[in-house]
Amino acid sequence: SFLSFGVFRSTLHIAATMLHRSLMRNAYRQCRVKPSCSKAGSNLTLRGRPGFFTRGFRTTSCLGFMDSQDSEATSGSKRSESQEVLEQCSRLYDSLTSVNDRLGGVAISSPTDRGTKLPYVLLVGNHSSGKSSFINYVLQRNIQTAGVAPTDDTFTVIAPGAEDKDSDGPTLVGDPDMGFASLRQFGPTLIHHTQLKQRDSHLDFMLVDSPGMIDAPVNLNQKGNNAMDRGYDFPGVVRWLAQRADIVMLFFDPDKPGTTGETMDVLLRCLSGMDHKLIIILNKADQFYKIHDFARAYGSLCWNLSKVIPRKDLPPIYTMSLPNDQNQTSTLAESLRDLEHTRDEVVQQVMQAPKRRIDNVITNLFDSTSMLILYSKIWNDVITRFVKEWRSCRLQEAGWSLIGGVGFGGLNYLSMDPMLQGGVFGGSILSIGALFWYHQTYLQRMQDDLTSMEALSSSFQRTHARQVHDADEFTASLYQRSRASLQTALKNEFASGGKLPTVSESEMQRLQSILDDEIPKLRRLANDAR
């Protein structure tokens, strides 16, 4: 028995040794480390296909062949998942357009005008606030001209390209693949004040530099051509770009921390509702020589922002500076080393623009669906009330016509005096005509009443009673943003005199399903892709 146990033990040891050598040989074949990596010396370790023997092994000098393939495969898989999310968003958005087109086509943006070819970061701010210098810092190249005085009056799109190339505004707007074709609506002056700079860079997104805003006195309540002082609607262009941007950076500097003139107009009209992608920056903080100067400028900026941002808590303000030759001369810069950390944090957020594109697309789909549902409910309420009154008027006219016809027929049947019959017939015609005229006037007056802001607010409160009771700020903001376009669309629909369309119950259920089911699924897919 003892001899048999010894033989069995030896056999088991030999089998285990052979199995171990076989597994090691297969692992080595899978790793296949290139000979060029031998210069790593003692730091070179096996790095291959993730498995039992290769788990945890790394090389500090080069990438293994199989690990590189796995990394590319994983990256490709993530890109395909991201692309799938974007395609699903596009299909869902296209399903909204049929309802939107039937309701005047102004509730949400056109499906052909939803984004650009690449993600992009929009930079706005006063002149000499450091926008161009920040672009040069991120790209590590002198692309934009920087200076104390205004140096550029154009919107500059800086895109990655195979070679350095500059194009004018008509070329940029006319390129169907770039996604800026809708800028034509702002006129030829804007087109000639835009340009495209393609640069060989490491970025996979675009940067859009804007002309410096001027703090000229502007009466925002005055009905004039203040928006056209530049020859085009500057706030409108900024809003168009901000709506499609993945990140919006708003620059201030110590010399101009106030928000008056064009800056206030842009904050009020262009950047409202974009807090989720807005980054406010107080730049050039290294120029302060005394701490109370910094406190005064920072406090002034917060005070002025509180006038245009109606909230008790202001969004975060990133205080930073860009490296230059004067950094060492500032006595305050030595005690504010966190400016560099803040700058790095801002740059890191800018580099996240491609990843934020998916989030912004899903957010835009959610916002558009919510807007269309609110829009449809108020539209249906207004149209239903008008159609109800219209039917009541037509029933009254039909009733009086029937009574007049029966009366005239009865007189004719009884062979009454023809003069009497003619009088009854003429009186019936005049009465029905007067009633019809009265109803037309009444319905016209009702159209005007139903499309007034007061009536639309009443419709909003009826159709969204629960949200109003719960003080739902998101729903209230949707109504504030949509009521002007809703009023215009309803007036145009009434003026056309055609059939008044409504949104069916099944269509409303489909919209709600997109909001409650489809969009959460897309959020989960986006998280998995990330």
Side-chain angles (χ1 to χ4, degrees):
S1 300
F2 179 80
L3 180 62
S4 300
F5 177 78
V7 172
F8 173 77
R9 181 178 179 182
S10 299
T11 304
L12 183 62
H13 176 73
I14 294 173
T17 303
M18 295 178 63
L19 178 61
H20 176 72
R21 290 179 178 177
S22 176
L23 292 175
M24 287 295 293
R25 189 182 300 111
N26 291 334
Y28 176 79
R29 289 174 180 174
Q30 290 182 1
C31 292
R32 295 171 61 186
V33 180
K34 293 183 179 180
S36 60
C37 298
S38 60
K39 62 183 180 180
S42 61
N43 290 330
L44 178 62
T45 55
L46 291 176
R47 185 180 181 186
R49 192 184 300 274
F52 181 83
F53 289 99
T54 61
R55 188 175 303 155
F57 287 88
R58 297 289 177 185
T59 175
T60 60
S61 61
C62 66
L63 296 178
F65 177 73
M66 296 305 295
D67 187 72
S68 176
Q69 283 189 343
D70 287 343
S71 177
E72 292 178 359
T74 303
S75 177
S77 175
K78 295 299 182 182
R79 284 195 296 268
S80 63
E81 291 177 0
S82 301
Q83 189 64 29
E84 180 184 355
V85 173
L86 294 177
E87 290 177 355
Q88 290 189 28
C89 288
S90 180
R91 287 193 295 268
L92 290 174
Y93 199 96
D94 290 338
S95 66
L96 305 180
T97 56
S98 59
V99 177
N100 180 59
D101 293 341
R102 201 161 65 250
L103 304 184
V106 295
I108 59 177
S109 60
S110 170
T112 59
D113 184 27
R114 294 203 304 267
T116 54
K117 178 181 179 181
L118 292 175
Y120 71 88
V121 178
L122 174 65
L123 295 87
V124 295
N126 294 330
H127 69 85
S128 185
S129 58
K131 303 186 301 297
S132 300
S133 298
F134 182 81
I135 291 176
N136 295 337
Y137 175 77
V138 170
L139 296 176
Q140 295 297 302
R141 296 182 58 182
N142 289 326
I143 297 177
Q144 292 293 88
T145 303
V148 177
T151 57
D152 199 353
D153 64 344
T154 62
F155 286 90
T156 304
V157 178
I158 304 167
E163 58 181 2
D164 292 356
K165 180 182 178 182
D166 292 349
S167 303
D168 56 14
T171 302
L172 170 65
V173 176
D175 191 336
D177 297 327
M178 291 298 294
F180 293 95
S182 295
L183 287 175
R184 289 193 183 95
Q185 62 182 297
F186 297 101
T189 303
L190 169 68
I191 296 177
H192 294 295
H193 282 78
T194 58
Q195 61 178 332
L196 170 65
K197 292 184 178 181
Q198 291 179 310
R199 294 294 184 269
D200 184 12
S201 69
H202 60 283
L203 302 182
D204 54 352
F205 59 92
M206 300 183 292
L207 296 167
V208 179
D209 194 7
S210 62
M213 292 184 289
I214 303 172
D215 287 336
V218 175
N219 185 1
L220 298 177
N221 297 322
Q222 180 180 354
K223 301 297 182 179
N225 293 324
N226 293 324
M228 303 297 292
D229 286 343
R230 295 177 182 262
Y232 58 89
D233 184 6
F234 177 79
V237 176
V238 173
R239 180 160 187 83
W240 189 95
L241 291 170
Q243 287 176 336
R244 291 153 182 80
D246 298 282
I247 297 176
V248 180
M249 306 180 70
L250 181 59
F251 282 79
F252 295 94
D253 65 305
D255 294 334
K256 296 174 287 296
T259 55
T260 59
E262 255 182 349
T263 310
M264 179 180 291
D265 198 13
V266 165
L267 281 171
L268 287 173
R269 293 178 50 193
C270 309
L271 303 181
S272 60
M274 302 184 189
D275 299 355
H276 63 287
K277 56 182 178 181
L278 179 62
I279 301 177
I280 301 178
I281 298 171
L282 178 59
N283 199 18
K284 301 183 179 181
D286 57 312
Q287 294 183 357
F288 295 109
Y289 289 92
K290 296 181 180 179
I291 192 65
H292 74 267
D293 292 335
F294 167 76
R296 183 180 302 170
Y298 191 88
S300 177
L301 176 59
C302 293
W303 172 259
N304 289 315
L305 287 176
S306 67
K307 297 178 181 178
V308 295
I309 301 178
R311 298 203 312 264
K312 291 184 178 180
D313 53 334
L314 290 174
I317 300 175
Y318 294 88
T319 305
M320 70 174 204
S321 64
L322 298 173
N324 55 67
D325 297 336
Q326 298 179 352
N327 283 102
Q328 304 300 326
T329 63
S330 175
T331 58
L332 187 60
E334 293 296 330
S335 60
L336 295 179
R337 297 186 182 277
D338 60 330
L339 297 180
E340 296 180 1
H341 299 291
T342 305
R343 181 184 66 224
D344 295 339
E345 182 180 355
V346 171
V347 173
Q348 185 178 7
Q349 291 194 42
V350 170
M351 294 302 178
Q352 297 297 317
K355 295 183 179 180
R356 295 184 66 169
R357 166 57 63 98
I358 298 179
D359 294 333
N360 290 334
V361 169
I362 298 177
T363 300
N364 180 62
L365 177 62
F366 176 85
D367 188 76
S368 299
T369 306
S370 302
M371 178 77 75
L372 191 57
I373 291 175
L374 179 141
Y375 199 96
S376 301
K377 288 181 178 180
I378 300 178
W379 179 286
N380 283 355
D381 181 74
V382 172
I383 297 299
T384 301
R385 293 180 62 198
F386 177 79
V387 170
K388 181 179 179 181
E389 291 297 324
W390 181 87
R391 288 177 178 174
S392 176
C393 293
R394 295 298 175 256
L395 285 175
Q396 293 181 30
E397 294 166 4
W400 281 104
S401 298
L402 180 61
I403 293 174
V406 171
F408 177 76
L411 293 176
N412 187 37
Y413 178 76
L414 296 174
S415 301
M416 300 297 292
D417 185 13
M419 294 294 294
L420 180 60
Q421 295 184 29
V424 171
F425 180 76
S428 300
I429 295 296
L430 290 174
S431 300
I432 295 172
L435 182 63
F436 181 79
W437 174 83
Y438 170 76
H439 284 166
Q440 288 297 108
T441 305
Y442 170 74
L443 291 175
Q444 181 62 48
R445 187 169 62 252
M446 187 176 184
Q447 290 178 4
D448 296 336
D449 292 340
L450 288 175
T451 55
S452 66
M453 285 300 178
E454 294 78 8
L456 292 178
S457 297
S458 299
S459 295
F460 167 70
Q461 294 175 6
R462 280 194 302 272
T463 56
H464 297 80
R466 183 176 61 83
Q467 290 84 349
V468 172
H469 179 269
D470 296 340
D472 190 332
E473 293 292 338
F474 176 72
T475 304
S477 67
L478 289 177
Y479 171 68
Q480 292 295 329
R481 289 161 49 193
S482 65
R483 61 178 183 175
S485 59
L486 177 61
Q487 183 186 45
T488 303
L490 284 170
K491 287 184 176 181
N492 293 336
E493 193 65 39
F494 283 136
S496 65
K499 183 180 179 180
L500 300 175
T502 56
V503 182
S504 64
E505 186 64 27
S506 61
E507 289 174 323
M508 292 295 296
Q509 292 177 356
R510 173 55 182 162
L511 293 176
Q512 196 64 43
S513 174
I514 293 176
L515 196 64
D516 297 337
D517 301 328
E518 301 294 339
I519 293 179
K521 291 180 181 178
L522 291 174
R523 290 288 188 191
R524 298 186 187 98
L525 286 176
N527 292 333
D528 294 340
R530 201 162 28 240

